[in-house]
Amino acid sequence: MKNVLVVYATMSGNTEEIAELIEKGLVSEGCTVEKVEADDTTAEMISNYDAFLLGSFTWGDGDLPEESMDLYDELEAADLTGKSFAVFGSGDTSYEIFCGAVDELETIVKEQGGELVLDGLKIEDFPEGEEVNETIEYGAKFARIVKEKSS
Protein backbone atom coordinates (compact mmCIF):
# COMPACT_ATOMS: atom_id res chain seq x y z
CA MET A 1 0.00 0.00 0.00
CA LYS A 2 1.35 3.42 -0.96
CA ASN A 3 1.05 6.61 1.07
CA VAL A 4 0.10 9.49 -1.21
CA LEU A 5 -0.05 13.18 -0.40
CA VAL A 6 -2.55 15.23 -2.40
CA VAL A 7 -1.90 18.96 -2.07
CA TYR A 8 -4.24 21.51 -3.59
CA ALA A 9 -4.98 25.24 -3.67
CA THR A 10 -8.58 26.23 -4.25
CA MET A 11 -10.61 29.42 -4.19
CA SER A 12 -14.00 28.54 -5.66
CA GLY A 13 -13.89 24.84 -4.75
CA ASN A 14 -13.13 23.59 -8.27
CA THR A 15 -9.62 22.34 -7.54
CA GLU A 16 -10.75 20.87 -4.23
CA GLU A 17 -13.41 18.86 -6.09
CA ILE A 18 -10.75 17.60 -8.51
CA ALA A 19 -8.58 16.58 -5.52
CA GLU A 20 -11.52 14.68 -3.99
CA LEU A 21 -12.17 12.78 -7.21
CA ILE A 22 -8.47 11.92 -7.57
CA GLU A 23 -8.52 10.70 -3.97
CA LYS A 24 -11.37 8.30 -4.86
CA GLY A 25 -9.24 6.82 -7.62
CA LEU A 26 -6.22 6.46 -5.36
CA VAL A 27 -8.25 4.77 -2.63
CA SER A 28 -9.83 2.40 -5.17
CA GLU A 29 -6.30 1.12 -5.86
CA GLY A 30 -5.49 0.60 -2.17
CA CYS A 31 -3.54 3.80 -1.45
CA THR A 32 -3.57 5.61 1.85
CA VAL A 33 -4.23 9.27 1.07
CA GLU A 34 -3.78 12.50 2.96
CA LYS A 35 -5.36 15.51 1.27
CA VAL A 36 -4.07 18.90 2.44
CA GLU A 37 -4.54 22.48 1.30
CA ALA A 38 -1.38 24.10 -0.06
CA ASP A 39 -1.41 26.73 2.70
CA ASP A 40 -1.02 23.92 5.26
CA THR A 41 1.76 22.06 3.43
CA THR A 42 5.52 22.28 3.64
CA ALA A 43 8.20 20.72 1.47
CA GLU A 44 9.38 18.85 4.61
CA MET A 45 6.18 16.77 4.49
CA ILE A 46 7.43 15.12 1.30
CA SER A 47 9.70 12.73 3.20
CA ASN A 48 6.63 11.15 4.85
CA TYR A 49 4.99 9.97 1.61
CA ASP A 50 5.71 7.65 -1.30
CA ALA A 51 4.13 9.82 -4.00
CA PHE A 52 2.55 13.24 -4.52
CA LEU A 53 -0.15 14.97 -6.49
CA LEU A 54 -0.02 18.75 -6.59
CA GLY A 55 -3.04 20.79 -7.63
CA SER A 56 -3.76 24.46 -8.11
CA PHE A 57 -6.17 26.78 -9.78
CA THR A 58 -4.67 29.31 -12.16
CA TRP A 59 -4.82 33.00 -11.33
CA GLY A 60 -4.90 35.85 -13.81
CA ASP A 61 -2.95 35.29 -16.98
CA GLY A 62 -1.61 31.82 -16.22
CA ASP A 63 -0.03 32.40 -12.82
CA LEU A 64 0.15 30.45 -9.60
CA PRO A 65 -2.18 31.93 -6.99
CA GLU A 66 -0.98 33.33 -3.68
CA GLU A 67 -2.25 30.16 -1.96
CA SER A 68 0.40 28.10 -3.81
CA MET A 69 3.36 30.48 -3.56
CA ASP A 70 4.77 29.47 -0.15
CA LEU A 71 4.84 25.81 -1.17
CA TYR A 72 6.30 26.70 -4.57
CA ASP A 73 9.08 28.67 -2.87
CA GLU A 74 9.86 25.72 -0.59
CA LEU A 75 9.89 23.32 -3.53
CA GLU A 76 12.53 25.51 -5.21
CA ALA A 77 14.92 24.53 -2.39
CA ALA A 78 13.84 20.88 -2.06
CA ASP A 79 15.51 17.76 -3.43
CA LEU A 80 12.72 15.79 -5.11
CA THR A 81 15.00 13.16 -6.63
CA GLY A 82 13.39 9.76 -6.78
CA LYS A 83 9.92 11.04 -5.88
CA SER A 84 6.89 10.40 -8.10
CA PHE A 85 4.55 13.29 -8.90
CA ALA A 86 1.60 14.32 -10.99
CA VAL A 87 0.03 17.78 -11.25
CA PHE A 88 -3.59 18.81 -11.72
CA GLY A 89 -5.57 22.00 -11.80
CA SER A 90 -8.55 24.00 -12.84
CA GLY A 91 -8.64 26.95 -15.16
CA ASP A 92 -10.65 29.05 -17.54
CA THR A 93 -10.14 28.84 -21.30
CA SER A 94 -11.24 32.44 -21.70
CA TYR A 95 -7.71 33.39 -20.61
CA GLU A 96 -4.78 33.23 -23.01
CA ILE A 97 -2.91 30.69 -20.86
CA PHE A 98 -5.13 27.79 -19.77
CA CYS A 99 -4.12 26.16 -16.46
CA GLY A 100 -0.71 27.82 -16.42
CA ALA A 101 -0.31 26.94 -12.73
CA VAL A 102 -0.16 23.27 -13.73
CA ASP A 103 2.72 24.04 -16.09
CA GLU A 104 4.56 26.05 -13.41
CA LEU A 105 4.26 23.26 -10.85
CA GLU A 106 5.42 20.65 -13.38
CA THR A 107 8.45 22.78 -14.18
CA ILE A 108 9.55 23.14 -10.56
CA VAL A 109 9.07 19.42 -9.89
CA LYS A 110 11.30 18.54 -12.88
CA GLU A 111 13.89 21.18 -11.99
CA GLN A 112 14.19 19.75 -8.48
CA GLY A 113 14.60 16.16 -9.70
CA GLY A 114 11.06 14.86 -9.22
CA GLU A 115 9.60 12.44 -11.73
CA LEU A 116 6.32 13.34 -13.39
CA VAL A 117 4.70 9.96 -13.98
CA LEU A 118 1.57 11.34 -15.69
CA ASP A 119 0.86 14.34 -17.87
CA GLY A 120 -0.82 17.18 -16.02
CA LEU A 121 -4.59 17.07 -15.68
CA LYS A 122 -6.21 20.36 -16.72
CA ILE A 123 -9.93 20.88 -16.21
CA GLU A 124 -12.13 23.80 -17.23
CA ASP A 125 -13.72 25.13 -14.06
CA PHE A 126 -15.53 22.24 -12.33
CA PRO A 127 -15.35 18.56 -13.38
CA GLU A 128 -18.66 17.56 -14.99
CA GLY A 129 -20.03 14.65 -16.98
CA GLU A 130 -17.36 12.30 -18.28
CA GLU A 131 -14.65 14.45 -16.66
CA VAL A 132 -15.75 13.07 -13.28
CA ASN A 133 -14.88 9.50 -14.29
CA GLU A 134 -11.72 10.63 -16.10
CA THR A 135 -10.54 12.42 -12.95
CA ILE A 136 -11.18 9.38 -10.74
CA GLU A 137 -9.30 7.26 -13.30
CA TYR A 138 -6.41 9.76 -13.23
CA GLY A 139 -5.98 9.02 -9.52
CA ALA A 140 -6.29 5.27 -10.07
CA LYS A 141 -3.78 5.34 -12.92
CA PHE A 142 -1.32 7.33 -10.80
CA ALA A 143 -1.64 4.70 -8.05
CA ARG A 144 -1.03 1.84 -10.49
CA ILE A 145 2.06 3.51 -11.95
CA VAL A 146 3.54 4.22 -8.52
CA LYS A 147 2.86 0.66 -7.34
CA GLU A 148 4.45 -0.77 -10.51
CA LYS A 149 7.54 1.39 -10.10
CA SER A 150 8.14 0.04 -6.59
CA SER A 151 7.75 -3.65 -7.47
Side-chain angles (χ1 to χ4, degrees):
M1 184 178 329
K2 293 295 176 186
N3 294 317
V4 179
L5 179 63
V6 177
V7 178
Y8 65 94
T10 195
M11 183 170 61
S12 62
N14 295 343
T15 309
E16 182 176 17
E17 178 64 20
I18 297 167
E20 289 173 3
L21 293 170
I22 288 171
E23 180 181 24
K24 284 182 183 182
L26 293 165
V27 170
S28 76
E29 292 292 328
C31 292
T32 301
V33 180
E34 183 170 1
K35 193 168 72 254
V36 183
E37 287 196 50
D39 284 345
D40 298 326
T41 307
T42 64
E44 293 171 12
M45 293 173 75
I46 289 174
S47 62
N48 299 325
Y49 297 89
D50 300 311
F52 314 88
L53 287 122
L54 304 175
S56 183
F57 66 96
T58 297
W59 185 252
D61 292 322
D63 301 317
L64 279 168
E66 184 65 34
E67 292 85 346
S68 296
M69 289 310 299
D70 287 344
L71 178 60
Y72 182 88
D73 291 343
E74 286 194 35
L75 290 173
E76 284 184 310
D79 180 6
L80 305 179
T81 304
K83 305 286 186 181
S84 296
F85 286 85
V87 180
F88 63 94
S90 59
D92 186 337
T93 55
S94 67
Y95 288 93
E96 185 175 333
I97 300 174
F98 176 63
C99 286
V102 171
D103 300 331
E104 287 191 44
L105 288 171
E106 286 183 326
T107 297
I108 194 65
V109 165
K110 288 188 279 188
E111 287 176 354
Q112 299 310 114
E115 181 183 359
L116 293 167
V117 298
L118 284 175
D119 290 337
L121 176 65
K122 298 177 178 183
I123 294 184
E124 171 91 16
D125 297 327
F126 192 84
E128 298 179 300
E130 189 54 36
E131 285 178 333
V132 171
N133 292 330
E134 290 170 1
T135 304
I136 293 169
E137 177 54 30
Y138 187 83
K141 185 174 182 180
F142 181 82
R144 290 190 297 270
I145 289 169
V146 170
K147 282 185 201 176
E148 187 176 294
K149 284 178 47 109
S150 65
S151 24

Short mmCIF file of all heavy atoms in Angstrom, two decimals, residues 72 74-82 106-115:
data_model
loop_
_atom_site.label_atom_id
_atom_site.label_comp_id
_atom_site.label_asym_id
_atom_site.label_seq_id
_atom_site.Cartn_x
_atom_site.Cartn_y
_atom_site.Cartn_z
N TYR A 72 5.45 26.60 -3.38
CA TYR A 72 6.30 26.70 -4.57
C TYR A 72 7.71 27.15 -4.16
O TYR A 72 8.70 26.57 -4.59
CB TYR A 72 5.70 27.68 -5.57
CG TYR A 72 6.49 27.80 -6.85
CD1 TYR A 72 6.24 26.94 -7.91
CD2 TYR A 72 7.49 28.76 -7.00
CE1 TYR A 72 6.97 27.04 -9.09
CE2 TYR A 72 8.21 28.85 -8.17
CZ TYR A 72 7.95 28.00 -9.21
OH TYR A 72 8.68 28.10 -10.37
N GLU A 74 9.18 26.80 -1.30
CA GLU A 74 9.86 25.72 -0.59
C GLU A 74 10.32 24.63 -1.55
O GLU A 74 11.39 24.05 -1.37
CB GLU A 74 8.95 25.13 0.48
CG GLU A 74 8.80 26.04 1.68
CD GLU A 74 8.17 25.32 2.86
OE1 GLU A 74 8.43 24.12 3.05
OE2 GLU A 74 7.43 26.00 3.59
N LEU A 75 9.51 24.35 -2.56
CA LEU A 75 9.89 23.32 -3.53
C LEU A 75 11.14 23.74 -4.30
O LEU A 75 11.93 22.88 -4.69
CB LEU A 75 8.74 23.04 -4.50
CG LEU A 75 7.54 22.31 -3.92
CD1 LEU A 75 6.41 22.24 -4.94
CD2 LEU A 75 7.91 20.92 -3.44
N GLU A 76 11.32 25.03 -4.50
CA GLU A 76 12.53 25.51 -5.21
C GLU A 76 13.81 25.11 -4.48
O GLU A 76 14.86 25.00 -5.12
CB GLU A 76 12.49 27.04 -5.35
CG GLU A 76 11.55 27.52 -6.41
CD GLU A 76 11.61 29.03 -6.59
OE1 GLU A 76 11.53 29.77 -5.58
OE2 GLU A 76 11.76 29.46 -7.74
N ALA A 77 13.74 24.89 -3.17
CA ALA A 77 14.92 24.53 -2.39
C ALA A 77 14.94 23.04 -2.02
O ALA A 77 15.86 22.59 -1.34
CB ALA A 77 14.97 25.37 -1.12
N ALA A 78 13.95 22.28 -2.46
CA ALA A 78 13.84 20.88 -2.06
C ALA A 78 14.52 19.95 -3.07
O ALA A 78 14.61 20.26 -4.25
CB ALA A 78 12.36 20.49 -1.94
N ASP A 79 14.99 18.82 -2.57
CA ASP A 79 15.51 17.76 -3.43
C ASP A 79 14.38 16.74 -3.63
O ASP A 79 14.01 16.04 -2.69
CB ASP A 79 16.72 17.10 -2.80
CG ASP A 79 17.30 15.98 -3.66
OD1 ASP A 79 16.85 15.79 -4.81
OD2 ASP A 79 18.21 15.29 -3.16
N LEU A 80 13.84 16.68 -4.82
CA LEU A 80 12.72 15.79 -5.11
C LEU A 80 13.16 14.54 -5.85
O LEU A 80 12.33 13.78 -6.35
CB LEU A 80 11.66 16.55 -5.92
CG LEU A 80 11.15 17.86 -5.30
CD1 LEU A 80 10.13 18.52 -6.22
CD2 LEU A 80 10.59 17.63 -3.91
N THR A 81 14.45 14.30 -5.91
CA THR A 81 15.00 13.16 -6.63
C THR A 81 14.38 11.86 -6.14
O THR A 81 14.30 11.61 -4.94
CB THR A 81 16.53 13.11 -6.45
OG1 THR A 81 17.09 14.35 -6.87
CG2 THR A 81 17.15 11.98 -7.26
N GLY A 82 13.94 11.06 -7.10
CA GLY A 82 13.39 9.76 -6.78
C GLY A 82 11.93 9.77 -6.34
O GLY A 82 11.36 8.72 -6.06
N GLU A 106 4.67 21.72 -12.70
CA GLU A 106 5.42 20.65 -13.38
C GLU A 106 6.87 21.07 -13.59
O GLU A 106 7.79 20.25 -13.41
CB GLU A 106 4.76 20.30 -14.72
CG GLU A 106 3.49 19.51 -14.57
CD GLU A 106 2.89 19.11 -15.90
OE1 GLU A 106 2.99 19.87 -16.89
OE2 GLU A 106 2.29 18.01 -15.94
N THR A 107 7.09 22.30 -13.95
CA THR A 107 8.45 22.78 -14.18
C THR A 107 9.29 22.71 -12.92
O THR A 107 10.42 22.21 -12.95
CB THR A 107 8.42 24.22 -14.73
OG1 THR A 107 7.74 24.21 -16.00
CG2 THR A 107 9.81 24.79 -14.90
N ILE A 108 8.76 23.16 -11.79
CA ILE A 108 9.55 23.14 -10.56
C ILE A 108 9.81 21.72 -10.09
O ILE A 108 10.90 21.41 -9.60
CB ILE A 108 8.92 24.01 -9.44
CG1 ILE A 108 9.93 24.26 -8.30
CG2 ILE A 108 7.66 23.39 -8.87
CD1 ILE A 108 11.11 25.09 -8.70
N VAL A 109 8.85 20.83 -10.26
CA VAL A 109 9.07 19.42 -9.89
C VAL A 109 10.23 18.84 -10.70
O VAL A 109 11.14 18.22 -10.15
CB VAL A 109 7.78 18.59 -10.07
CG1 VAL A 109 8.07 17.10 -10.05
CG2 VAL A 109 6.75 18.95 -9.01
N LYS A 110 10.22 19.05 -12.02
CA LYS A 110 11.30 18.54 -12.88
C LYS A 110 12.64 19.17 -12.53
O LYS A 110 13.66 18.48 -12.47
CB LYS A 110 10.97 18.77 -14.35
CG LYS A 110 9.86 17.87 -14.87
CD LYS A 110 9.69 17.97 -16.37
CE LYS A 110 8.88 19.19 -16.71
NZ LYS A 110 8.50 19.28 -18.13
N GLU A 111 12.64 20.49 -12.31
CA GLU A 111 13.89 21.18 -11.99
C GLU A 111 14.51 20.67 -10.69
O GLU A 111 15.74 20.67 -10.55
CB GLU A 111 13.65 22.69 -11.87
CG GLU A 111 13.43 23.38 -13.20
CD GLU A 111 13.08 24.86 -13.07
OE1 GLU A 111 12.90 25.36 -11.94
OE2 GLU A 111 12.96 25.52 -14.12
N GLN A 112 13.69 20.22 -9.77
CA GLN A 112 14.19 19.75 -8.48
C GLN A 112 14.38 18.24 -8.44
O GLN A 112 14.62 17.67 -7.38
CB GLN A 112 13.26 20.20 -7.36
CG GLN A 112 13.13 21.72 -7.23
CD GLN A 112 14.48 22.42 -7.18
OE1 GLN A 112 14.83 23.17 -8.08
NE2 GLN A 112 15.25 22.18 -6.14
N GLY A 113 14.29 17.58 -9.60
CA GLY A 113 14.60 16.16 -9.70
C GLY A 113 13.44 15.21 -9.52
O GLY A 113 13.63 13.99 -9.54
N GLY A 114 12.23 15.73 -9.34
CA GLY A 114 11.06 14.86 -9.22
C GLY A 114 10.70 14.25 -10.55
O GLY A 114 11.03 14.79 -11.61
N GLU A 115 10.02 13.12 -10.51
CA GLU A 115 9.60 12.44 -11.73
C GLU A 115 8.10 12.61 -11.92
O GLU A 115 7.30 12.20 -11.08
CB GLU A 115 9.93 10.95 -11.67
CG GLU A 115 9.53 10.23 -12.93
CD GLU A 115 9.77 8.73 -12.87
OE1 GLU A 115 10.25 8.22 -11.85
OE2 GLU A 115 9.44 8.07 -13.88
#
